[in-house]
Amino acid sequence: MATKGGHQIVLTADRLLMADYACLFDAMVAASQTTSTPRFILENLLMPVPRPNPLPAKVAPLGLRRIESALVHAGHEVCVCHPDRLVDAIGPETKIIGIATGEPLGKGMNSSTMVAIAGGRIWPQVFFEQVLLSAFKKAPNAQVVIGGPGAWQIAQEIDNPVRPNEIAGSAGTLPAKTLGILQRLQKNAQLTVVDGYCEGNIASIINQIIETCQGLGTVKGEQPVDIPAINAAATMGAVEMSRGCGWGCEFCTIAHTPMCHLPIETIESDIVKNLEGGQTSLSLLSEDFFRYGSSGAKVKPETLIKTLTKLRENKAVKLMQIDHVNVSSIAQFSDQELLEVRRLLTLGQQHEYVWVNIGVETASGPLLARNGGRAKMAGGPPEEWHAHTQEQMRRLIRAGFYPLVSIVLGLPTETPDEARQSLRWVQELSDQRMSVFPVALAPLGQSDPLPSLTKTHWQTVIESYRLNFKWVPKLVWDNEQGSGVPTARSLAAQVIGKSQVVWWNAAFRLKQRKAKA
């Protein structure tokens, strides 16, 4: 419980990050919704509030749990709370309010695309504004520290505030009221924005803020030598396997962050904390799951298989989900090794759809190379990227995986022929059990990325969502049932999802008719 004057350091995040998701895919769907999706649907079907909603919080984003652990190890008293309980956690004695955010301005490519198609604003942005306003009202004199994967958006906004002729609230901007709070905090030296992984220096940052009663503006986070194990359960049962990427793609925010792997001892400790908090369905997170244990681009399948075998010794674990793999890593696994990884992920569970995100980015290898993606090809000829990526998708599918492929539309220097090549890539895989999610390239500061899309781009969207509308409902049902979601709630989500298909198809066709040739 909170002390009468409030906790000295309070950590929280927006409602989307703090929701009690049953499975990882539910979180992905929720985070992509705009305000065109009614809030009551979002909260009751996609992002339920933990029940009960205790203080400290039952679950919290993995990154926030890492910060909590780093601060506790440094001797600080910390309270992690759900935003609905923020008023119970803070008070006159509160010195620091830390807020984690993923999409505070909706500048991500997926968010920009969804807003431009569906209208409204991305819900993560709305929920960030609400938690910021709540913190400011309850503790107007406290220092505010903003971090998380979307912190760079805030840093950019306060350094380059919205101009008078911009429409407040569009993608890439903040409403005047919220921007005003940030500017007031900055003027009063109450604002610190931490960019990047920061367990290595978050304690020193907090110490400096407390000692000087001064915000630090924008500061760069530092990686720790040893990533601290978490002290309590993470949202979605998140368990970090590795972090960083380092492939150098010019359109990615972690392109130059080298990949590092967590030791098995930390991974096992995090699993135990998740299980103690009731999170029996785990999300094994990495920007390239198949690269776990490797040094550089060369994978070590035996290390990953050995690690999964060790993790499966804990019989309390139900669903094991993964998020990202890279094409070049898939290619280095034999068919038998892919089958073994899938077997270990689903061991003892009725779970058919083992999905994984794969950034193909474009079917044109030369285009990808021109945009800094040459390393993703692991030395393969760019001209073979089209056929090579298709073959790796088919190998994954034969091994029982379900690929979720991302394709970026409108990469710099893309030619009409290269746009058509991506369309053909999707059409040639239309008989496979997979999904493709095209996103429009959204240069920073551009609120609407869609005017640059051509009719060919929109046909790629239409062909991709023909696949998605066929398979995604089955994926969602499978994952929710495997993680224990009540059947009635899953059925309601299916009905609402199917009712949106007609609307989405009509929207795609309308956008295509209005697009340039």
Side-chain angles (χ1 to χ4, degrees):
M1 294 295 294
T3 61
K4 185 176 181 180
H7 293 276
Q8 184 182 57
I9 300 175
V10 176
L11 303 179
T12 189
D14 65 66
R15 291 174 64 91
L16 272 159
L17 290 178
M18 296 289 290
D20 193 14
Y21 299 106
C23 55
L24 180 55
F25 197 80
D26 281 1
M28 291 175 56
V29 173
S32 67
Q33 300 302 304
T34 75
T35 50
S36 63
T37 299
R39 181 167 178 159
F40 76 90
I41 291 177
L42 193 69
E43 292 185 342
N44 289 288
L45 294 182
L46 296 177
M47 45 163 283
V49 173
R51 296 297 181 205
N53 190 1
L55 186 71
K58 173 188 174 184
V59 295
L62 180 63
L64 208 60
R65 289 299 191 199
R66 296 272 187 240
I67 299 305
E68 174 193 25
S69 182
L71 291 176
V72 169
H73 288 167
H76 289 286
E77 183 268 330
V78 181
C79 177
V80 178
C81 73
H82 188 279
D84 288 358
R85 299 297 307 274
L86 189 60
V87 294
D88 301 316
I90 60 182
E93 300 300 319
T94 300
K95 297 184 184 304
I96 303 286
I97 301 175
I99 303 174
T101 178
E103 274 281 32
L105 271 69
K107 285 189 174 185
M109 286 191 286
N110 182 63
S111 296
S112 299
T113 303
M114 293 298 292
V115 167
I117 294 173
R121 293 195 295 149
I122 201 75
W123 271 113
Q125 180 184 7
V126 176
F127 287 131
F128 166 75
E129 293 160 4
Q130 290 177 354
V131 72
L132 178 66
L133 181 61
S134 178
F136 183 74
K137 284 183 175 180
K138 182 65 177 176
N141 297 318
Q143 290 286 330
V144 175
V145 181
I146 297 174
W152 63 271
Q153 299 180 16
I154 297 297
Q156 185 183 66
E157 184 69 17
I158 61 177
D159 291 338
N160 302 284
V162 63
R163 294 182 294 275
N165 62 337
E166 288 187 278
I167 301 174
S170 64
T173 69
L174 281 171
K177 187 173 184 179
T178 306
L179 182 59
I181 292 174
L182 288 171
Q183 290 175 332
R184 182 173 173 181
L185 289 169
Q186 188 181 31
K187 181 180 179 182
N188 294 340
Q190 291 176 256
L191 181 63
T192 302
V193 181
V194 184
D195 186 14
Y197 300 113
C198 62
E199 299 98 327
N201 64 337
I202 188 61
S204 62
I205 290 171
I206 295 300
N207 288 339
Q208 185 177 348
I209 294 171
I210 292 176
E211 290 170 3
T212 64
C213 296
Q214 295 283 310
L216 305 180
T218 301
V219 295
K220 191 69 177 176
E222 295 177 4
Q223 285 264 30
V225 175
D226 296 310
I227 296 171
I230 61 177
N231 293 336
T235 309
M236 304 168 296
V239 176
E240 193 175 21
M241 299 284 286
S242 56
R243 61 170 58 170
C245 176
W247 285 128
C249 301
E250 295 173 4
F251 45 84
C252 179
T253 58
I254 59 170
H256 302 291
T257 303
M259 175 169 279
C260 65
H261 309 290
L262 277 73
I264 185 65
E265 294 79 13
T266 305
I267 293 171
E268 289 185 307
S269 175
D270 289 353
I271 288 177
V272 169
K273 291 299 182 183
N274 274 301
L275 292 172
E276 289 176 352
Q279 302 293 91
T280 56
S281 293
L282 304 180
S283 302
L284 307 181
L285 305 183
S286 171
E287 289 303 318
D288 189 352
F289 181 74
F290 287 165
R291 220 192 321 166
Y292 178 76
S294 68
S295 54
K298 184 173 177 55
V299 302
K300 295 182 178 178
E302 67 283 357
T303 300
L304 177 61
I305 290 170
K306 181 180 179 180
T307 302
L308 288 176
T309 301
K310 177 69 174 174
L311 299 184
R312 270 300 178 192
E313 291 177 2
N314 195 321
K315 303 303 181 184
V317 175
K318 293 182 180 178
L319 201 65
M320 270 193 177
Q321 306 153 96
I322 59 177
D323 55 355
H324 292 90
V325 299
N326 190 271
V327 172
S328 64
S329 298
I330 300 168
Q332 296 178 66
F333 274 67
S334 69
D335 289 348
Q336 188 58 44
E337 288 165 342
L338 290 175
L339 284 167
E340 180 61 8
V341 170
R342 187 194 183 278
R343 185 190 73 82
L344 289 166
L345 289 171
T346 60
L347 193 62
Q349 302 299 317
Q350 296 298 317
H351 175 39
E352 181 180 354
Y353 286 76
V354 182
W355 61 268
V356 61
N357 281 308
I358 304 157
V360 170
E361 320 306 1
T362 172
S364 169
L367 175 61
L368 182 58
R370 294 198 301 272
N371 282 273
R374 188 70 179 84
K376 289 174 70 79
M377 303 176 199
E383 294 75 18
E384 296 180 7
W385 181 246
H386 183 120
H388 177 67
T389 52
Q390 284 190 335
E391 175 56 23
Q392 300 316 312
M393 297 311 104
R394 291 190 172 96
R395 291 184 64 235
L396 270 183
I397 294 165
R398 288 196 298 267
F401 289 90
Y402 179 88
L404 303 179
V405 176
S406 63
I407 290 180
V408 183
L409 306 178
L411 283 170
T413 75
E414 181 186 60
T415 67
D417 282 344
E418 288 170 332
R420 286 189 288 269
Q421 188 174 357
S422 287
L423 172 59
R424 289 196 304 274
W425 191 93
V426 176
Q427 291 172 330
E428 289 162 2
L429 289 169
S430 62
D431 61 337
Q432 298 295 307
R433 191 184 73 164
M434 61 182 291
S435 286
V436 181
F437 292 94
V439 293
L441 183 70
L444 299 184
Q446 179 177 314
S447 60
D448 185 353
L450 299 193
S452 61
L453 299 190
T454 66
K455 293 186 184 300
T456 299
H457 288 139
W458 279 109
Q459 191 60 41
T460 303
V461 172
I462 291 168
E463 297 287 349
S464 298
Y465 273 85
R466 186 173 291 132
L467 266 173
N468 300 347
F469 292 146
K470 177 180 180 181
W471 294 110
V472 168
K474 299 175 182 179
L475 162 69
V476 172
W477 178 268
D478 174 85
N479 278 207
E480 289 189 341
Q481 293 300 291
S483 57
V485 173
T487 300
R489 199 176 99 190
S490 292
L491 284 172
Q494 293 284 315
V495 170
I496 291 172
K498 288 183 182 299
S499 69
Q500 291 182 322
V501 170
V502 174
W503 185 92
W504 278 97
N505 278 326
F508 294 153
R509 293 293 182 185
L510 179 62
K511 298 287 185 181
Q512 185 183 39
R513 284 199 296 271
K514 292 182 178 181
K516 59 186 178 183

